[in-house]
Amino acid sequence: ACRLAEQHADLDALGRAYGWLGDALMQAGRLEDAVEVSLSGREPLRRFGLAGQWHDTFLMVLAAKTLFKLGRWDEAHGLATQALTTTQPEQVFVFLTVATLEVARGDFPAAEAHLKTIKQRSLSLAGTPSHARQHAGLMAELRVWQGRLEEARAAVRGGLDRVAWIDRKHSGR
């Protein structure tokens, strides 16, 4: 799919093909391959002028998530923060990835700032259950690390309520 999309200059398909391939490799536990595919997929996107567009950003974030799983946290954080410099306001997945890395690294003020940015863009959380779930989980984890257990419980309750609301909204109930 990657080769065909590149041959036909189908830019959307090209970004998605590399993204889904990288994600499939990550899910299959082929982490080194997932990083390689994600990063190498950025080159044809750049040739077509898509550097910094969502396809490119998605591949950077995917590589960062995979590097994190490999224990290469500094590389992951560098790549994720690079993606953050070119991200569009609606690309909540970038902020979630950066915040995940910051919580893991113990950089709680930075994580809190990114989670607050996400909360301010709550429209993105309103329609994407996985984003809402991840945001609530990160906020709860951050609060636990900070010793603020009541706020951690509130983050979990709020996240469950948000996901239930999204489910009702999508099911028409």
Side-chain angles (χ1 to χ4, degrees), residues 1 5-6 8-20 45 48 50 54-56 58-59:
E6 190 169 355
H8 295 283
D10 185 337
L11 306 182
D12 189 51
L14 181 64
R16 290 177 190 276
Y18 274 104
W20 290 119
L45 292 174
F48 287 115
L50 294 179
W54 82 265
H55 302 85
D56 186 41
F58 178 77
L59 290 173

Coordinates of all heavy atoms in Angstrom, one line a residue, residues 1 5-6 8-20 45 48 50 54-56 58-59:
A1 N 0.8 -1.2 0.0 CA 0.0 0.0 0.0 C 0.9 1.3 0.0 O 0.6 2.2 -0.7 CB -0.9 0.0 1.2
A5 N 0.7 3.9 -3.0 CA 0.3 5.3 -2.7 C 1.4 6.3 -3.1 O 1.0 7.4 -3.7 CB 0.0 5.4 -1.2
E6 N 2.6 5.9 -3.0 CA 3.7 6.8 -3.4 C 3.7 6.9 -4.9 O 3.9 8.0 -5.5 CB 5.0 6.3 -2.9 CG 6.2 7.3 -3.1 CD 7.4 6.9 -2.3 OE1 7.4 6.0 -1.6 OE2 8.4 7.6 -2.6
H8 N 1.3 6.6 -7.0 CA 0.2 7.4 -7.5 C 0.1 8.8 -6.8 O -0.9 9.5 -7.1 CB -1.1 6.6 -7.3 CG -1.1 5.3 -8.1 ND1 -1.4 5.3 -9.5 CD2 -0.9 4.1 -7.8 CE1 -1.3 4.1 -9.9 NE2 -1.0 3.3 -8.9
A9 N 1.0 9.1 -6.0 CA 1.1 10.4 -5.3 C -0.3 10.6 -4.6 O -0.8 11.8 -4.5 CB 1.4 11.5 -6.3
D10 N -0.8 9.6 -4.0 CA -2.0 9.7 -3.2 C -1.5 10.0 -1.7 O -1.2 9.1 -1.0 CB -2.8 8.4 -3.2 CG -4.1 8.5 -2.5 OD1 -4.2 9.3 -1.6 OD2 -5.0 7.7 -2.8
L11 N -1.5 11.3 -1.4 CA -0.8 11.7 -0.2 C -1.5 11.3 1.0 O -0.9 10.9 2.0 CB -0.6 13.2 -0.2 CG 0.1 13.8 -1.5 CD1 0.2 15.3 -1.4 CD2 1.4 13.1 -1.7
D12 N -2.8 11.3 1.0 CA -3.6 10.8 2.2 C -3.3 9.3 2.4 O -3.1 8.9 3.5 CB -5.1 11.2 2.1 CG -5.8 10.9 3.3 OD1 -5.4 11.4 4.4 OD2 -6.8 10.2 3.3
A13 N -3.5 8.6 1.4 CA -3.2 7.1 1.5 C -1.8 6.8 1.9 O -1.5 5.9 2.6 CB -3.6 6.4 0.2
L14 N -0.9 7.6 1.4 CA 0.5 7.4 1.7 C 0.8 7.6 3.2 O 1.4 6.7 3.9 CB 1.4 8.4 1.0 CG 2.9 8.3 1.2 CD1 3.4 7.0 0.7 CD2 3.6 9.4 0.5
G15 N 0.3 8.6 3.8 CA 0.4 8.9 5.3 C -0.3 7.8 6.1 O 0.3 7.3 7.1
R16 N -1.5 7.5 5.6 CA -2.2 6.4 6.4 C -1.6 5.1 6.3 O -1.5 4.3 7.2 CB -3.7 6.4 5.9 CG -4.4 7.6 6.3 CD -5.9 7.6 5.7 NE -6.5 8.8 5.9 CZ -7.2 9.2 7.0 NH1 -7.2 8.4 8.0 NH2 -7.7 10.4 7.0
A17 N -1.1 4.7 5.1 CA -0.4 3.4 4.9 C 0.8 3.2 5.8 O 0.9 2.2 6.5 CB -0.1 3.2 3.4
Y18 N 1.6 4.2 5.8 CA 2.8 4.2 6.7 C 2.4 4.2 8.2 O 2.9 3.4 9.0 CB 3.8 5.3 6.5 CG 4.7 5.0 5.4 CD1 4.6 5.6 4.1 CD2 5.8 4.2 5.6 CE1 5.5 5.3 3.1 CE2 6.7 3.9 4.5 CZ 6.5 4.5 3.3 OH 7.4 4.2 2.3
G19 N 1.4 5.0 8.5 CA 0.9 5.0 9.9 C 0.3 3.7 10.3 O 0.6 3.2 11.4
W20 N -0.6 3.1 9.5 CA -1.2 1.8 9.9 C -0.2 0.7 9.9 O -0.2 -0.2 10.8 CB -2.4 1.5 9.0 CG -3.5 2.4 9.2 CD1 -4.1 3.2 8.3 CD2 -4.3 2.5 10.5 NE1 -5.2 3.9 8.9 CE2 -5.3 3.5 10.2 CE3 -4.1 2.0 11.7 CZ2 -6.1 3.9 11.2 CZ3 -5.0 2.4 12.7 CH2 -6.0 3.4 12.5
L45 N 6.7 11.6 2.5 CA 5.8 12.7 2.8 C 6.5 14.1 2.6 O 5.9 15.0 2.1 CB 5.3 12.6 4.2 CG 4.4 11.4 4.5 CD1 4.0 11.3 6.0 CD2 3.1 11.5 3.7
F48 N 6.8 15.1 -1.0 CA 5.5 15.7 -1.5 C 5.1 16.9 -0.8 O 4.0 17.4 -1.0 CB 4.4 14.6 -1.4 CG 4.6 13.5 -2.4 CD1 4.8 12.2 -1.9 CD2 4.5 13.7 -3.7 CE1 4.9 11.1 -2.8 CE2 4.6 12.7 -4.6 CZ 4.8 11.4 -4.2
L50 N 4.7 17.5 2.6 CA 3.8 17.3 3.7 C 4.5 17.4 5.1 O 3.9 17.0 6.1 CB 3.0 16.0 3.6 CG 2.0 15.9 2.5 CD1 1.3 14.6 2.4 CD2 1.0 17.0 2.5
W54 N -0.4 16.7 9.3 CA -0.8 15.8 10.3 C -0.3 14.4 10.1 O 0.0 13.6 11.0 CB -2.4 15.7 10.5 CG -3.1 14.9 9.5 CD1 -3.7 15.3 8.3 CD2 -3.3 13.5 9.5 NE1 -4.2 14.3 7.6 CE2 -4.0 13.1 8.3 CE3 -3.0 12.5 10.4 CZ2 -4.4 11.8 8.1 CZ3 -3.4 11.2 10.2 CH2 -4.1 10.9 9.0
H55 N -0.1 14.0 8.8 CA 0.5 12.7 8.5 C 1.9 12.6 9.1 O 2.2 11.5 9.7 CB 0.6 12.5 7.0 CG -0.7 12.6 6.2 ND1 -1.2 13.8 5.8 CD2 -1.6 11.6 5.8 CE1 -2.4 13.6 5.2 NE2 -2.6 12.3 5.2
D56 N 2.7 13.6 8.9 CA 4.0 13.6 9.3 C 4.1 13.6 10.9 O 4.8 12.9 11.5 CB 4.7 14.9 8.8 CG 6.2 14.9 9.1 OD1 6.9 13.9 9.1 OD2 6.7 16.0 9.4
F58 N 1.7 12.5 12.9 CA 1.3 11.2 13.3 C 2.4 10.2 13.3 O 2.6 9.4 14.3 CB 0.1 10.7 12.5 CG -0.4 9.4 12.9 CD1 -1.2 9.2 14.0 CD2 0.0 8.2 12.2 CE1 -1.6 8.0 14.5 CE2 -0.5 7.0 12.6 CZ -1.3 6.8 13.8
L59 N 3.2 10.2 12.3 CA 4.3 9.2 12.2 C 5.4 9.5 13.3 O 6.0 8.6 13.8 CB 4.9 9.2 10.8 CG 4.0 8.6 9.7 CD1 4.7 8.8 8.3 CD2 3.8 7.2 10.0

